[in-house]
Amino acid sequence: MTKDRYVAIDIGGSFLKGVLIEINQGEGMSHIPQKVLNSTVVKFPSKLGNRFTINDFKTALTNLLDQLTQNDTISAIGISTAGLVDYAGKKIILVAPHLEQLKSESWLNFLRKKYSVPVALINDSDATAIGCAALGYLKGNQTIGIMPIGTGVGFTVWRNGRKWTPFNSLPLLGSCYTPDGNYDQIISASSLAKYDNEMNLVNIFSMKKYEELREQYIEKLSGVIQTANIIYHVNKILIGGGLADAITYSKFPLTKYLMDKLKQKNIEIEVLSEGNMLPLIGATLLGAGEKSIMNYKQTHNYSNKTTEQPFNKNISLNTLTSYELVKLFWELEQEAGDKLYSSLDILTTVINKVTNSLKDGGRLIYVGAGTSGRLATVDTVEIACTFGFPREKVLTLVAGGLADAAYDIETHFEEDASCIPELLLLNLSPKDVVVGISVSGSAFYVQSALGYAKKIGALSILIQETDNYKPDFCDQIIPLYSGSEIIAGSTRMKAGTATKKIINFLSTSVMIKLGNVYGCYMVNLECINEKLINRACSILHELFGIEKEKALSKLKNNNYNLKNTITYLEEHEN
């Protein structure tokens, strides 16, 4: 039987920790978390710091991998590490001074050359978050802070399925300064353990003689959590790392003590029993995910692409008057819309499949880079208020991150990066639908998302300009047929118009088929502003013939829920 063998490594300042798991042919990604939890963790001194060289660190990695692999072949390596990792997961760009060796790319190149497999890199907090998602801790339309605490404190924010990274950076909570030191120092679990003769953190939380020390530590930890709550508006904090392991083994009621200390009570706290295994789960899933899509990346000859050719290379746009420009744009935009007629049969098939998936509990997930991603984002944010559909059921992933999508997020080759880390945070399932949008079909961010979706059995759909070829990484193509642009390569124009139309047709049709429209009225809209309240009253007038004052009164009585108001009126006043 064919097997894939995945190695996960968690790099810490003191130790390297690693696991190896085997996945049999026919076993899916969903088996990985439990296999990691059941595996034996191998530890070696990391040999990082001022006393060591980069070669010492490479030797430590080699020793770890030799013991794990027993010189047998492996399929991929996933690495969880301290420090800031670049968006593509290829290198470390910022670390604490004592981990400076990690910034050298030589050790990563060494691993890639030695093992000839994908080597995927991710920050340890983000790896912990992926582990949390895989185990079902990250669900719903919430904002959750994931806080692994070991030598220092890591922190990442998960917001309704996506990593929340304003300025395209991790929230460096551990670097926050206080007169007693930064947060990394004052809530370090490793530093706390040093008060015990055996340096055993479990003793700190189980022995009576450390009661005062525990009290002081909990006071500091509650302050850090309170800061995270204020800055990032999190609904919940998930505590992992070595601290979580010690709390689990000692059965110390840390959550209760923290809640007693916190001034804000609008937050939940959970200590995760999986502790230090979470980043290893995340790293394993990342390595396996990257391995699953390595053959899907397609290179393109851009010079031959229709979208890169000018609509008419003999036109000198810079010589036209404003009216001539606008008239030309108008004509070509109309043409882009008309050509979509040829895609209606395909779109009909897709609409029916998406509707069935959402009825079965799945999600509609758009993936795009640049204009494509932003157009999809506009659609997803409108679905909830227009149709009352759950926000966690229609989502968009944008290359570079959603937090700064209204700004410039294409400065570091984001569309060429893999989407796997972000899909793992969504804990994608076979019930879901992934719609990738790449007019040229060349964005690897989209290719990787669709390839991974197809691998795990989710429906994968690509919106692109042409139907001249169907890539292996998707189940279905919706062609735009938008042709060449008036400004060569500027697909924000004709192709953008066609894309927005396709997205509108798709999502609106699905919402209608799911029962969110009655006649021609949005009967499940959210009454979240004066305009929408007035619209709801008008709908009640049209459906039941009642005047605005009565309609408004009935809405108020039903907490401004239009669907419930309609149900009430149908039952009591018809």
Side-chain angles (χ1 to χ4, degrees):
M1 179 180 289
T2 303
K3 294 181 179 180
D4 280 316
R5 305 173 80 238
Y6 298 113
V7 169
I9 300 172
D10 184 28
I11 299 176
S14 301
F15 288 97
L16 301 175
K17 289 172 282 189
V19 296
L20 181 144
I21 67 160
E22 295 182 343
I23 298 293
N24 296 319
Q25 190 175 33
E27 288 185 315
M29 298 274 287
S30 60
H31 290 81
I32 287 177
Q34 195 57 51
K35 283 179 178 279
V36 173
L37 290 174
N38 293 339
S39 64
T40 300
V41 178
V42 175
K43 289 176 65 174
F44 274 86
S46 57
K47 295 189 177 180
L48 290 167
N50 297 331
R51 296 187 297 113
F52 301 104
T53 68
I54 188 65
N55 287 330
D56 293 327
F57 177 57
K58 289 180 186 177
T59 299
L61 281 171
T62 300
N63 291 338
L64 176 70
L65 283 158
D66 284 349
Q67 183 162 332
L68 286 170
T69 65
Q70 299 296 306
N71 295 317
D72 202 349
T73 58
I74 55 176
S75 305
I77 301 172
I79 300 174
S80 160
T81 179
L84 291 183
V85 176
D86 74 327
Y87 188 76
K90 300 296 184 184
K91 60 183 179 180
I92 298 174
I93 55 179
L94 180 67
V95 290
H98 67 286
L99 302 176
E100 194 68 21
Q101 292 100 318
L102 293 177
K103 287 176 66 177
S104 168
E105 294 182 49
S106 64
W107 65 274
L108 287 164
N109 293 332
F110 163 74
L111 292 179
R112 293 180 180 118
K113 183 177 180 180
K114 179 177 175 65
Y115 295 98
S116 300
V117 297
V119 178
L121 193 63
I122 190 169
N123 168 266
D124 49 9
S125 298
D126 288 338
T128 299
I130 290 173
C132 289
L135 294 175
Y137 289 115
L138 304 181
K139 291 181 179 179
N141 183 25
Q142 300 186 82
T143 302
I144 299 175
I146 297 93
M147 185 183 288
I149 302 175
T151 303
V153 54
F155 194 69
T156 190
V157 179
W158 181 93
R159 188 174 182 185
N160 189 16
R162 287 142 306 183
K163 184 170 73 166
W164 194 247
T165 53
F167 306 104
N168 199 21
S169 176
L170 276 173
L172 300 175
L173 187 67
S175 298
C176 290
Y177 175 78
T178 78
D180 296 325
N182 63 35
Y183 284 174
D184 276 330
Q185 296 165 333
I186 67 175
I187 63 167
S188 167
S190 299
S191 296
L192 183 64
K194 291 178 182 178
Y195 287 94
D196 180 65
N197 291 335
E198 300 174 4
M199 295 187 65
N200 188 333
L201 196 58
V202 174
N203 290 342
I204 298 290
F205 285 98
S206 57
M207 293 183 174
K208 185 172 178 57
K209 67 179 180 178
Y210 295 122
E211 187 172 353
E212 184 177 347
L213 181 64
R214 288 196 297 269
E215 176 73 18
Q216 294 170 355
Y217 180 81
I218 292 168
E219 182 74 35
K220 294 173 183 176
L221 179 55
S222 68
V224 173
I225 290 173
Q226 195 160 290
T227 300
N229 179 231
I230 292 169
I231 295 175
Y232 301 107
H233 304 283
V234 292
N235 307 113
K236 182 185 289 188
I237 292 284
L238 302 178
I239 296 175
L243 177 65
D245 284 338
I247 296 302
T248 300
Y249 293 137
S250 66
K251 298 182 180 179
F252 182 79
L254 179 63
T255 299
K256 177 184 180 302
Y257 280 92
L258 286 171
M259 291 305 298
D260 289 343
K261 292 282 186 184
L262 285 174
K263 294 177 181 178
Q264 284 96 355
K265 302 299 182 184
N266 60 336
I267 186 172
E268 296 178 49
I269 299 172
E270 186 171 357
V271 177
L272 305 179
S273 61
E274 295 83 4
N276 274 325
M277 297 302 288
L278 289 166
L280 290 170
I281 293 172
T284 308
L285 286 166
L286 180 62
E290 296 293 353
K291 165 67 166 54
S292 73
I293 53 94
M294 63 182 295
N295 295 324
Y296 287 132
K297 187 168 187 176
Q298 297 189 350
T299 56
H300 292 258
N301 186 342
Y302 290 98
S303 62
N304 293 334
K305 284 192 167 294
T306 302
T307 53
E308 296 298 316
Q309 308 301 317
F311 176 78
N312 184 344
K313 65 181 180 181
N314 296 317
I315 295 178
S316 295
L317 295 174
N318 53 297
T319 66
L320 300 184
T321 66
S322 296
Y323 178 78
E324 288 171 332
L325 285 171
V326 172
K327 184 173 182 293
L328 181 59
F329 294 158
W330 176 78
E331 289 172 349
L332 295 180
E333 295 287 313
Q334 296 297 319
E335 178 186 295
D338 291 341
K339 287 187 175 181
L340 289 178
Y341 183 81
S342 300
S343 295
L344 296 188
D345 286 342
I346 295 172
L347 187 55
T348 299
T349 299
V350 169
I351 287 166
N352 291 334
K353 289 181 178 180
V354 173
T355 301
N356 290 335
S357 293
L358 267 61
K359 282 182 178 178
D360 195 33
R363 296 168 293 181
L364 173 59
I365 300 163
Y366 294 112
V367 179
T371 297
S372 299
R374 290 179 175 92
L375 289 172
T377 301
V378 170
D379 192 62
T380 54
V381 298
E382 293 286 344
I383 292 297
C385 62
T386 304
F387 300 109
F389 202 68
R391 285 168 172 79
E392 65 270 23
K393 290 293 187 178
V394 183
L395 304 157
T396 296
L397 298 179
V398 183
L402 194 62
D404 289 338
Y407 295 89
D408 185 2
I409 53 172
E410 287 87 31
T411 55
H412 294 94
F413 297 88
E414 285 84 359
E415 78 166 50
D416 301 321
S418 168
C419 186
I420 298 301
E422 291 164 69
L423 282 178
L424 289 172
L425 284 174
L426 281 170
N427 197 19
L428 203 67
S429 85
K431 292 182 178 182
D432 295 324
V433 179
V434 177
V435 178
I437 310 169
S438 176
V439 175
S440 66
S442 62
F444 183 61
Y445 185 79
V446 173
Q447 294 177 2
S448 61
L450 294 175
Y452 180 75
K454 186 174 181 178
K455 173 75 174 178
I456 69 164
L459 180 62
S460 57
I461 300 160
L462 173 63
I463 298 175
Q464 66 174 13
E465 192 279 330
T466 183
D467 64 352
N468 287 344
Y469 69 97
K470 179 181 178 295
D472 294 336
F473 54 73
C474 67
D475 299 310
Q476 184 83 56
I477 286 177
I478 302 176
L480 300 172
Y481 301 121
S482 51
S484 301
E485 298 286 353
I486 186 65
I487 300 174
S490 184
T491 51
R492 55 183 280 275
M493 301 185 74
K494 289 168 60 184
T497 298
T499 298
K500 185 66 172 76
K501 287 177 179 287
I502 288 289
I503 292 172
N504 283 349
F505 300 164
L506 170 60
S507 62
T508 305
S509 297
V510 169
M511 289 300 111
I512 292 170
K513 294 175 75 66
L514 289 174
N516 294 305
V517 173
Y518 181 82
C520 55
Y521 298 108
M522 51 178 80
V523 293
N524 223 357
L525 69 84
E526 292 182 341
C527 297
I528 55 176
N529 58 43
E530 186 175 342
K531 179 188 73 173
L532 293 177
I533 291 172
N534 282 322
R535 183 181 297 166
C537 290
S538 297
I539 290 171
L540 293 175
H541 171 73
E542 291 294 333
L543 295 180
F544 298 99
I546 60 177
E547 296 305 316
K548 179 178 178 180
E549 291 76 12
K550 183 176 180 180
L552 183 58
S553 174
K554 296 299 181 184
L555 269 177
K556 287 180 179 178
N557 291 341
N558 285 279
N559 295 316
Y560 290 96
N561 186 305
L562 179 58
K563 193 71 173 283
N564 289 348
T565 305
I566 290 172
T567 300
Y568 174 85
L569 291 172
E570 286 177 334
E571 292 176 353
H572 295 87
E573 302 205 9
N574 266 357

